[in-house]
Amino acid sequence: MQTDNILLIGAFGQIGTELTEALQGIYGDAHVIASDIRRTAPEQAGKVHFEQLNVLDAKRLGELIDKHKITQIYHLAAVLSASGEQDPMFAWQLNMDGTINVLEAAREKGIKKVYFPSSIAVFGKDTPRHNTPQNTFMNPSTIYGISKLAGERWCEYYFNRYGLDVRSLRYPGIISYKTPPGGGTTDYAVDIYYKAAMRKNFECFLKEDTYLPMMYMPDAIKATLDLMHAEAGKVKIRNSYNVSAMSFSPKEVAVAIRKHQPNFKVSYKPDFRQQIADSWPTSFDDSVARADWGWKPTYDLEAMTADMLTNLAEMALEEVYDF
Ligand code: AKB
């Protein structure tokens, strides 16, 4: 059997960095092509087969697919919720045109499988916020959420109309220590651990009782690969699956961190991101993903906190994280 060749787009981002490593482990370094608009990511330089790619450049995308005989695409390039509100037109262009470029190239070139990450941001103020179901009122208010919801619809359309095997997850906030996120509303839940590990106080841009669905990176990678490796017949949802692992507030993370560092202090100064968080689910019903392809998370808040603090303690944080 021929091994698949994988193209990751947006490979130097928070999820892309760790997904690249995981895919290299499964398919072998020679079969994984990491692409990003940035030319180099210091921590990845030399470790991956890299191609520079702006996903808005459809011609180059097609050339890379041909050059590397690509059979699967993971399309991770996107402007997130908070950054999207700073420049809505650019966010729409990158998120929407980028996704359509990927779907169209996949259709034209006969790509076997495409992965498209969606988000809790596809939900809005009319959505039931607690234990948000798979199918419900959506009405997102951020340009990021609007573009992700439109992206989900395009994915389902390509599946129904062209038989393209597109798979997608609605990620909650993702917490990780290897590559910081950028421009999201859930980013506080990463920043707080970095500050704790640096023995600094943390000022939170959300109110202390703001609950959001969250997931630790190892679970996010597992969910992505479990979905992508599931038998096609088990993938019954072709817009995007709700997946979750936990739900917590800034106050609860602070309490979990204080079990390891009793002197850790947090203050609260909500900004425009509070309104975004208030429009999103507080917790997520992912029972459809569990039933269809066996999704099951591993980490809860306590286990994640212990692992984050242990790993961050070993890193030279002042060098990798710019507050
Ligand atoms: C964001 O906060 O914008 C993202 C997301 C929830 O999709 N982390």
Side-chain angles (χ1 to χ4, degrees):
M1 202 182 74
Q2 242 193 330
T3 309
D4 277 299
N5 292 320
I6 319 270
L7 175 66
L8 289 107
I9 301 171
F12 292 164
Q14 185 197 16
I15 297 173
T17 309
E18 300 202 30
L19 199 50
T20 301
E21 281 173 20
L23 288 166
Q24 284 177 314
I26 297 167
Y27 293 91
D29 293 4
H31 296 281
V32 177
I33 311 299
S35 76
D36 202 285
I37 195 162
R38 284 173 280 177
R39 275 186 192 282
T40 50
E43 64 281 5
Q44 280 196 332
K47 290 197 218 157
V48 289
H49 193 150
F50 174 68
E51 294 276 9
Q52 205 258 343
L53 173 69
N54 177 350
V55 72
L56 295 177
D57 185 346
K59 185 165 169 283
R60 174 141 173 88
L61 172 59
E63 286 165 3
L64 288 183
I65 292 173
D66 290 342
K67 178 177 167 190
H68 296 286
K69 299 186 173 45
I70 296 298
T71 56
Q72 293 188 30
I73 301 177
Y74 287 72
H75 167 41
L76 306 165
V79 177
L80 299 187
S81 57
S83 302
E85 295 311 294
Q86 309 307 314
D87 191 347
M89 283 304 161
F90 175 66
W92 177 255
Q93 190 194 17
L94 183 82
N95 294 359
M96 216 57 272
D97 294 353
T99 299
I100 289 173
N101 283 349
V102 170
L103 293 172
E104 208 30 28
R107 181 184 71 80
E108 275 175 18
K109 308 269 180 200
I111 294 294
K112 286 203 280 193
K113 272 187 213 169
V114 175
Y115 180 70
F116 170 75
S118 187
S119 161
I120 52 170
V122 295
F123 297 105
K125 64 176 177 43
D126 302 313
T127 303
R129 294 190 67 210
H130 308 294
N131 213 22
T132 301
Q134 175 70 41
N135 285 310
T136 182
F137 295 112
M138 312 297 280
N139 301 346
S141 56
T142 60
I143 203 69
Y144 171 63
I146 295 170
S147 65
K148 283 292 176 189
L149 181 55
E152 287 187 6
R153 305 314 311 161
W154 274 106
C155 289
E156 193 182 65
Y157 183 85
Y158 268 74
F159 175 74
N160 288 333
R161 171 108 195 231
Y162 305 114
L164 183 65
D165 189 351
V166 197
R167 304 177 182 203
S168 173
L169 298 175
R170 290 176 182 147
Y171 289 127
I174 307 289
I175 293 109
S176 65
Y177 59 86
K178 289 192 183 166
T179 306
T185 302
T186 58
D187 292 7
Y188 91 84
V190 177
D191 295 352
I192 194 167
Y193 285 106
Y194 274 80
K195 279 284 169 91
M198 293 161 88
R199 307 281 160 175
K200 291 184 176 173
N201 298 336
F202 179 64
E203 185 179 271
C204 186
F205 58 72
L206 296 181
K207 288 191 221 154
E208 63 175 13
D209 57 351
T210 310
Y211 281 83
L212 288 167
M214 298 281 183
M215 187 182 283
Y216 195 31
M217 184 62 89
D219 276 334
I221 300 297
K222 179 174 152 2
T224 309
L225 296 176
D226 284 357
L227 174 70
M228 287 300 274
H229 293 149
E231 278 169 39
K234 291 194 170 166
V235 184
K236 296 186 187 123
I237 301 278
R238 291 296 180 157
N239 53 342
S240 194
Y241 278 98
N242 285 9
V243 278
S244 190
M246 55 188 119
S247 166
F248 58 73
S249 65
K251 188 176 174 185
E252 286 182 357
V253 198
V255 168
I257 290 174
R258 264 185 225 114
K259 288 184 188 155
H260 303 262
Q261 286 178 215
N263 296 329
F264 181 55
K265 289 195 178 52
V266 181
S267 57
Y268 297 90
K269 196 173 172 203
D271 65 16
F272 72 99
R273 289 167 280 195
Q274 184 65 48
Q275 209 182 345
I276 298 177
D278 288 343
S279 76
W280 287 353
T282 58
S283 60
F284 228 23
D285 174 4
D286 58 8
S287 53
V288 180
R290 289 174 191 248
D292 283 3
W293 44 273
W295 163 239
K296 195 165 179 287
T298 306
Y299 286 87
D300 62 11
L301 177 58
E302 303 303 324
M304 175 179 78
T305 300
D307 201 59
M308 279 291 285
L309 292 175
T310 304
N311 281 289
L312 288 171
E314 290 166 9
M315 293 166 65
L317 293 178
E318 304 284 358
E319 282 167 31
V320 296
Y321 205 62
D322 178 22
F323 283 100

